Amino acid sequence: MEPITLHTERLVLRPFEERDEAALAEACDDPDIQRYVPVPEPYTRKDAEEFVRTTCPAGWRDDTMYNFGLFTHGGELVGSMGLVRLELLRTAERQAELGFWTARAHRRKGYTAEAGRAVVEWAFTALGVERLEWVAQVENAGSHAVALRLGFVDEGIQRARIVHRGTRRDARIAALLPSDWGYGLETPYLPSRA
């Protein structure tokens, strides 16, 4: 997949560039991000360089992760959002997972949900995603709030789903279908009557 740029009223969603490395290192060295997101601890400039110069380009090239940096129109880093676990995207399952984090100074301003609406729209209309999942540690209330704002429907708690810093943790899982946003599904869907 060729990297793309998305725009919202307040944000530009684009692939990270070398000029973003210092801001990325500063944002990801936040203990609140490290508590829930599998980033190195401490998070250094070298870690940011690896992510920007190697991990992200490889994700787009190899169709394993489509990651966006979220920036204000003035260029300030707000966070990161991407579609991950794309191994089922090009199969009959047509699935992906939405992941994100928000820099400390930009939390509780609606930026992450605003970016999420753009990425979800792109996933459903351009990529043909038919099931979009969100998974996070049960204690990650901020991420859960964003998922609910986007229309994700809670499906339960999965025991020991996430291994984070060498410890298995329970995870909340939710899903969003194109039909939740008024789009049709290419694959017929027969919901359970239970």
Side-chain angles (χ1 to χ4, degrees):
M1 166 76 70
E2 280 296 314
I4 67 159
T5 298
L6 303 172
H7 298 271
T8 70
E9 182 180 337
R10 299 181 295 166
L11 299 171
V12 175
L13 288 65
R14 62 165 173 78
F16 282 102
E17 300 172 357
E18 290 183 22
R19 64 183 165 139
D20 307 319
E21 291 169 355
L24 179 62
E26 182 180 345
C28 287
D29 202 35
D30 175 359
D32 289 335
I33 289 177
Q34 294 169 356
R35 180 177 176 193
Y36 298 117
V37 180
V39 297
E41 181 183 13
Y43 196 94
T44 66
R45 178 68 180 259
K46 184 176 180 187
D47 296 316
E49 289 173 4
E50 173 74 17
F51 186 72
V52 169
R53 299 177 192 192
T54 305
T55 305
C56 288
W60 285 94
R61 181 188 65 240
D62 301 337
D63 293 321
T64 58
M65 173 181 73
Y66 303 149
N67 199 71
F68 298 94
L70 315 179
F71 298 90
T72 64
H73 290 289
E76 192 173 351
L77 176 64
V78 169
S80 179
M81 181 172 290
L83 296 178
V84 298
R85 300 199 174 138
L86 297 178
E87 60 274 1
L88 296 178
L89 179 61
R90 308 271 185 247
T91 69
E93 282 78 12
R94 310 282 306 156
Q95 293 182 28
E97 182 182 321
L98 183 70
F100 49 84
W101 56 259
T102 309
R104 178 181 298 280
H106 297 291
R107 294 178 191 147
R108 294 178 185 83
K109 297 180 181 179
Y111 284 128
T112 309
E114 181 177 327
R117 285 187 288 277
V119 173
V120 168
E121 178 85 16
W122 176 65
F124 288 159
T125 61
L127 300 179
V129 170
E130 292 193 350
R131 177 179 166 85
L132 188 58
E133 294 183 340
W134 165 88
V135 178
Q137 290 181 42
V138 170
E139 295 80 12
N140 193 341
S143 184
H144 186 228
V146 171
L148 293 177
R149 257 182 255 128
L150 293 172
F152 279 83
V153 175
D154 280 331
E155 294 184 332
I157 293 175
Q158 296 179 326
R159 298 180 312 142
R161 164 73 186 259
I162 296 172
V163 177
H164 186 69
R165 312 249 184 259
T167 302
R168 288 199 169 274
R169 300 172 192 261
D170 293 344
R172 188 179 309 276
I173 185 167
L176 187 64
L177 306 178
S179 55
D180 297 330
W181 276 36
Y183 295 113
L185 289 165
E186 186 174 316
T187 308
Y189 172 41
L190 181 61
S192 170
R193 293 184 182 162

